[in-house]
């Protein structure tokens, strides 16, 4: 007698679209992923799966575990390692390239890339692998930043393996599937300019303009060189917006080399990043950054430095130093305007112009600097300060805010001045808005360390719990307050470097 019909096997036949991989052989090498022994699922994002059109139940499919660990190819995929160059810590590093990443193709307008899938012609001395620890950090951070409204690469899934990988100690391997509309970096442009491969440079720039910056074609001479200066300006604008969001959130990237700068203004390449605990503008989150080049408060200036490197890369196409200069001239103003809007929102001040009653355009600036000085003076916890300010605005609980300071006289005086300058600010919907601006749940380093240790012991539930909290960082999530508290003392001793 025939039994019940078996459900059809779950497969995924992506409708690959033409994309970066079709630009030609100058842009990279076809490389097969290196098989990964005994892969197992660590995590996935249902939201990213939906963007890619993965079928229901895909995480149960052994074919897809094989594909996302690099043990099998998705139908029709021709993996590619791309070549780029870049400046690392302010020094020209020459050719770099995807040393451990492979582009599988583009689906629904999104590039799909394996990270940690083995050696490529660009691996240099590296092993082509990523470890579970750093892959969990990227997996969680890319979801956390997205949920906070910050442009970022996304992560579809994370696969682990018992395969040993030598870092400072022996760790276990992992492969992350990274997704973004484009993974092109500033360094891609620097590469072809440095090699004097100007035809390829133009091809790359035109590809990026057509796909991602079509507005650059709307000038009086859409086929002329002005479009390249327009591209530089548009990238500069997006980068300024991104940096404003990072600074307002207290996000420190840690390795702002030009090869880690996205041409789309996305947060890219999560390594030793950190969300600030106590507010320390000079905070250095990268253990290997001995000079503090990438210290928190230097990020906007470094982004502009990197944009100058991009300008150098585009110079053979722009061919007009003044036009390039003009394209970058707006960065500082854009950054300051965006940062100010971010900080106004954090303070609960309306964005509207002209200013509301009792509010002069500059009052917020007069208030912000002294507040930052107060926070820095006692290294008050950045996220908790803003959340408690929002709660005070909502419920009038100013004592919990004052309690953050050993010497509350400074904050008392500041609050008096604030209420004098903005008498009507905490009325109506303002407080609600503040609670939707100042997150309760952030991916602090110690939280990541905890779920990493548990995942290394084979327990993935804590990772999922954290993932769920970070997906809705502005909500209260009753019962989970422990994730939103002060970091434990040992958090200060966590040291994270570039090696991952
Ligand atoms: P990162 O510091 O992670 O941005 O990497 C800088 C460069 O080194 C990029 O070209 C990476 O592809 C490459 N790279 C980093 N780690 C490895 C590794 N384990 N194996 C091969 N290449 C790597
Ligand atoms: Mg990188």
């Amino acid at each position: 007698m025939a039994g019940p019909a078996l459900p059809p096997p779950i497969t995924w036949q992506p409708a690959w679209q033409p994309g970066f991989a079709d630009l030609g052989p100058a842009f990279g090498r076809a490389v097969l992923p290196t098989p990964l022994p005994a892969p197992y699922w660590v995590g996935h994002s249902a939201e990213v799966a939906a963007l890619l059109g993965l079928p229901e139940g895909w995480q149960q499919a052994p074919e897809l575990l094989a594909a996302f660990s690099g043990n099998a190819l998705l139908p029709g995929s021709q993996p590619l390692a791309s070549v780029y160059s870049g400046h690392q810590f302010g020094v020209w590093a020459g050719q770099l390239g995807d040393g451990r990443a492979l582009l599988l193709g583009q689906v629904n307008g999104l590039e799909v890339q394996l990270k940690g899938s083995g050696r490529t012609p660009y691996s240099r001395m590296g092993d082509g692998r990523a470890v579970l620890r750093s892959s969990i950090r990227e997996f969680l951070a890319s979801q956390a930043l997205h949920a906070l409204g910050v442009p970022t690469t996304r992560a579809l899934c994370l696969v682990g393996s018992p395969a040993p990988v030598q870092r400072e100690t022996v760790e276990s391997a992992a492969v992350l599937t990274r997704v973004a509309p484009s993974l092109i970096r500033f360094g891609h442009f620097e590469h072809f300019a440095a090699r004097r491969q100007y035809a390829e440079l133009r091809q790359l720039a035109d590809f990026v303009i057509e796909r991602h910056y079509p507005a650059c074609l709307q000038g009086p001479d859409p086929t002329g060189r002005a479009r390249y200066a327009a591209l530089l300006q548009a990238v500069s604008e997006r980068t300024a917006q991104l940096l404003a969001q990072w600074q307002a959130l207290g996000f420190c990237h840690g390795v702002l080399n030009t090869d880690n700068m996205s041409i789309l203004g996305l947060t890219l390449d999560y390594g030793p990043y950190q969300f600030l605990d106590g507010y320390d503008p000079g905070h250095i989150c990268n253990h290997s950054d001995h000079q503090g080049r990438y210290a928190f408060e230097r990020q906007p200036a470094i982004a502009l430095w990197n944009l100058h490197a991009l300008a150098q890369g585009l110079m053979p196409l722009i061919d007009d130093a003044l036009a390039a200069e003009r394209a970058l001239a707006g960065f500082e103003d854009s950054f300051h305007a965006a940062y100010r809007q971010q900080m106004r929102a954090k303070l609960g001040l309306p964005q509207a112009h002209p200013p509301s009653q009792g509010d002069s355009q500059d009052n917020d600036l007069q208030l912000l600097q002294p507040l930052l000085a107060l926070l820095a003076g006692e290294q008050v916890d950045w996220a908790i300060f803003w959340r408690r300010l929002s709660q005070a605005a909502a419920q009038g609980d100013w004592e919990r805010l004052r309690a953050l300071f050993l010497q509350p006289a400074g904050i008392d005086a500041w609050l008096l001045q604030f209420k004098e300058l903005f008498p009507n600010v905490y009325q109506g919907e303002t407080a609600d808005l503040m609670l939707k601006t100042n997150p309760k749940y952030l991916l602090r380093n110690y939280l990541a360390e905890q779920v990493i240790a548990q995942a290394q012991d084979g327990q993935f539930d804590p990772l999922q719990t954290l993932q769920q909290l970070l997906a809705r960082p502005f909500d209260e999530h009753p019962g989970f307050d422990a994730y939103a508290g002060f970091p434990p003392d040992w958090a200060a001793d966590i040291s994270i470097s570039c090696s991952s």
Side-chain angles (χ1 to χ4, degrees):
M1 211 170 79
L6 288 171
I10 298 163
T11 55
W12 188 42
Q13 304 230 336
W16 300 112
Q17 298 156 334
F20 182 87
D22 302 292
L23 283 178
F27 293 87
R29 295 267 176 281
V31 183
L32 292 178
T34 307
L36 187 71
Y40 57 87
W41 291 115
V42 176
H44 71 276
S45 158
E47 205 181 315
V48 179
L51 293 176
L52 293 173
L54 276 148
E56 199 69 28
W58 63 278
Q59 318 92 282
Q60 272 89 55
E63 302 91 315
L64 291 179
L65 178 60
F68 295 124
S69 56
N71 287 338
L73 288 184
L74 289 166
S77 158
Q78 295 179 316
L80 175 104
S82 80
V83 63
Y84 54 81
S85 295
H87 284 84
Q88 297 187 316
F89 289 89
V91 177
W92 177 245
Q95 180 181 300
L96 302 164
D98 294 326
R100 51 173 171 169
L102 291 175
L103 177 64
L104 299 182
Q106 187 180 312
V107 190
N108 290 354
L110 293 168
E111 289 184 349
V112 182
Q113 189 188 57
L114 299 182
K115 181 170 176 181
S117 50
R119 289 181 55 82
T120 79
Y122 312 114
S123 297
R124 299 175 293 155
M125 306 299 284
D127 55 13
R129 288 299 185 195
V131 297
L132 181 63
R133 169 179 54 90
S134 63
S135 304
I136 288 178
R137 284 175 53 85
E138 173 153 358
F139 177 73
L140 287 174
S142 56
Q143 296 178 60
L145 266 84
H146 175 73
L148 291 163
V150 183
T152 173
T153 60
R154 312 288 301 271
L156 168 68
C157 59
L158 178 56
V159 171
S161 159
V165 176
Q166 182 68 50
R167 291 294 180 262
E168 277 152 32
T169 58
V170 176
E171 303 191 37
S172 64
V175 174
L176 182 85
T177 300
R178 183 157 66 169
V179 171
S182 171
L183 291 157
I184 296 176
R185 301 145 190 270
F186 289 11
H188 280 101
F189 292 87
E190 292 179 274
H191 179 77
F192 294 107
R195 293 281 172 94
R196 298 175 192 270
Q197 290 178 264
Y198 298 147
E200 286 81 5
L201 181 65
R202 183 179 303 273
Q203 201 187 343
L204 181 66
D206 285 340
F207 174 82
V208 168
I209 289 172
E210 269 161 39
R211 295 277 171 128
H212 305 290
Y213 292 97
C216 296
L217 296 171
Q218 280 161 15
D221 178 15
T223 57
R225 64 186 186 187
R227 67 188 190 277
Y228 303 116
L231 172 64
L232 181 59
Q233 185 168 350
V235 176
S236 166
E237 179 60 35
R238 282 209 203 172
T239 306
Q241 299 292 332
L242 177 72
L243 268 288
Q245 287 190 285
W246 285 359
Q247 299 309 109
L249 273 171
F251 177 78
C252 198
H253 180 285
V255 204
L256 281 181
N257 295 334
T258 58
D259 55 304
N260 290 341
M261 294 291 291
S262 150
I263 202 70
L264 299 186
L266 308 174
T267 312
L268 171 66
D269 273 8
Y270 293 91
Y273 71 84
Q274 186 181 3
F275 286 92
L276 295 183
D277 293 320
Y279 178 58
D280 171 10
H283 183 70
I284 303 164
C285 65
N286 180 350
H287 191 60
S288 329
D289 181 7
H290 305 296
Q291 311 292 325
R293 179 178 172 83
Y294 300 139
F296 175 68
E297 69 185 342
R298 298 198 65 197
Q299 294 189 117
I302 289 292
L304 181 57
W305 193 96
N306 291 341
L307 283 160
H308 278 97
L310 176 65
Q312 285 289 330
L314 285 167
M315 216 44 214
L317 306 179
I318 298 175
D319 198 22
D320 175 352
L322 215 62
E325 223 170 89
R326 271 199 304 269
L328 297 186
F331 176 86
E332 285 182 26
D333 281 351
S334 289
F335 168 75
H336 285 300
Y339 179 68
R340 185 174 176 184
Q341 295 288 39
Q342 293 283 333
M343 297 313 288
R344 282 185 72 91
K346 288 180 89 64
L347 285 165
L349 299 178
Q351 304 289 319
H353 292 261
S356 56
Q357 197 190 1
D359 178 356
S360 109
Q361 285 289 317
D362 294 331
N363 283 349
D364 55 347
L365 295 183
Q366 277 176 36
L367 279 167
L368 188 57
Q369 286 316 319
L371 175 61
L372 294 181
L374 282 173
L375 296 178
E378 292 199 30
Q379 300 216 347
V380 174
D381 190 278
W382 182 251
I384 293 179
F385 171 80
W386 290 106
R387 191 71 184 180
R388 287 202 187 173
L389 180 68
S390 316
Q391 276 158 345
Q395 297 143 18
D397 186 0
W398 297 96
E399 275 312 307
R400 282 189 79 230
L401 183 73
R402 295 180 78 241
L404 290 172
F405 295 81
L406 286 172
Q407 296 173 322
I411 193 70
D412 286 345
W414 184 87
L415 283 168
L416 270 180
Q417 201 194 352
F418 183 77
K419 287 174 187 166
E420 215 166 89
L421 287 170
F422 301 100
N424 304 319
V425 64
Y426 292 145
Q427 287 177 5
E429 294 162 359
T430 311
D432 268 357
L433 227 63
M434 286 174 78
L435 289 165
K436 290 189 181 112
T437 302
N438 296 313
K440 176 169 178 178
Y441 294 95
L442 281 179
L443 180 56
R444 294 183 190 258
N445 264 352
Y446 90 91
L447 291 172
E449 290 298 300
Q450 283 175 334
V451 297
I452 288 166
Q454 285 156 320
Q456 285 168 336
D457 279 348
Q459 297 170 49
F460 305 114
D461 288 355
L463 172 67
Q464 266 180 30
T465 303
L466 184 56
Q467 189 185 346
Q468 281 161 12
L469 293 173
L470 297 173
R472 305 187 59 170
F474 302 106
D475 292 357
E476 278 298 321
H477 300 286
F480 290 92
D481 283 357
Y483 290 79
F486 292 100
D489 290 343
W490 60 266
D493 301 328
I494 298 170
S495 104
I496 296 169
S497 68
C498 288
S499 94
S500 58

